[in-house]
Amino acid sequence: MNVKLIAYTPDPERTVACAAKLCYSAAGIGTVMEGLTEEKTISFIDMLTEIGHESPIEHASFTFGIEGVSRSLLAQLTRHRLASYSVQSQRYVKESAFEFVIPPEIASMPETKREFLLAMEEDQRHYERLTELLQRKHETDFLSQGLSEKEARRKAEKKAIEDARFVLPNACATKLICTMNARELTNFFTHRCCNRAQWEIRALATEMLRQVKAVAPNLFKKAGPPCLRGSCPEGKMSCGRAPEVREMFKGLGAEK
């Protein structure tokens, strides 16, 4: 997994404080940024957290480049709908020797790892064979329509991989660009940094949180699983390791 914060709102915490100040003072647009020292910026952010006024934090957004994650993770990630996603297309990009993600539990046993790798090899063979057969058919059709050999070959491959991709597994690796505002990110971290989240998306969320805390530490000071802010809400489904989780997230992002 490779995660990189590639862009974000300049001076995100001051931008959020500016929005909060406008809500609670008589300041005009021309003067609203005046006097927003670091101390006052932090004060506004703390106030928003204390009273639960979340809309001002939507004015800061963060864009991540993400690669080396599975299609299984992608299905979970896109359930967070207040975000923008651009994903490498399997319709336009041929999956030659496709990369894949091995779950740690499968990788931990020689027998399960061997079975998994055999499945990936078989999927690759089926994908390549389906692509070959479909491309041959489509190329013949395009040639009969009067297209040049070069154009017929190009269009035939694109049309072939569009259907051949159906045989690819959930483990198939993908790449994407993801943008969320700070409010949605906070919600995302609440759900996906929790120990009850699936292991891959939990690793992604934790790394994303580490990186945004490095550039906006006050904005994400209390971000993370719910047990950081109080008792665990999971009831009998709780992992039972709240103290350990709190300790883990305490210094997250501090190294940056």
Side-chain angles (χ1 to χ4, degrees), residues 76-77 84 98 114 119 123 160 175 184 187 195 220 236:
Q76 298 179 77
L77 181 60
S84 299
F98 69 84
R114 182 166 55 250
D123 286 344
K175 304 173 185 178
E184 177 62 9
N187 176 266
N195 274 350
F220 295 100
K236 66 179 182 180

Side-chain angles (χ1 to χ4, degrees), residues 85-137:
Y85 303 101
S86 298
V87 183
Q88 188 173 79
S89 174
Q90 289 181 331
R91 289 184 66 199
Y92 294 96
V93 180
K94 190 174 182 181
E95 294 283 6
S96 301
F98 69 84
E99 296 180 353
F100 49 84
V101 176
I102 306 180
E105 289 294 331
I106 291 178
S108 69
M109 296 173 57
E111 296 87 353
T112 52
K113 183 177 180 180
R114 182 166 55 250
E115 191 68 25
F116 186 90
L117 293 176
L118 286 172
M120 296 302 102
E121 291 172 6
E122 185 175 347
D123 286 344
Q124 183 72 64
R125 284 196 302 271
H126 288 312
Y127 176 79
E128 291 174 356
R129 181 58 175 160
L130 285 168
T131 299
E132 178 189 354
L133 293 171
L134 290 168
Q135 185 169 345
R136 192 182 304 162
K137 172 187 179 297

Side-chain angles (χ1 to χ4, degrees), residues 183-254:
R183 185 180 189 179
E184 177 62 9
L185 269 174
T186 300
N187 176 266
F188 173 69
F189 296 143
T190 293
H191 292 286
R192 303 301 186 171
C193 287
C194 175
N195 274 350
R196 291 204 61 230
Q198 185 260 357
W199 65 268
E200 189 181 16
I201 199 166
R202 185 172 70 247
L204 172 65
T206 302
E207 178 57 22
M208 289 168 66
L209 176 55
R210 186 189 70 78
Q211 294 192 28
V212 295
K213 285 186 75 171
V215 299
N218 299 293
L219 197 52
F220 295 100
K221 182 165 53 179
K222 296 188 177 182
C227 62
L228 300 187
R229 301 177 292 277
S231 59
C232 175
E234 297 291 337
K236 66 179 182 180
M237 302 297 289
S238 172
C239 72
R241 304 205 307 271
E244 178 186 329
V245 172
R246 292 178 188 129
E247 187 63 28
M248 174 192 155
F249 280 91
K250 185 189 298 183
L252 195 69

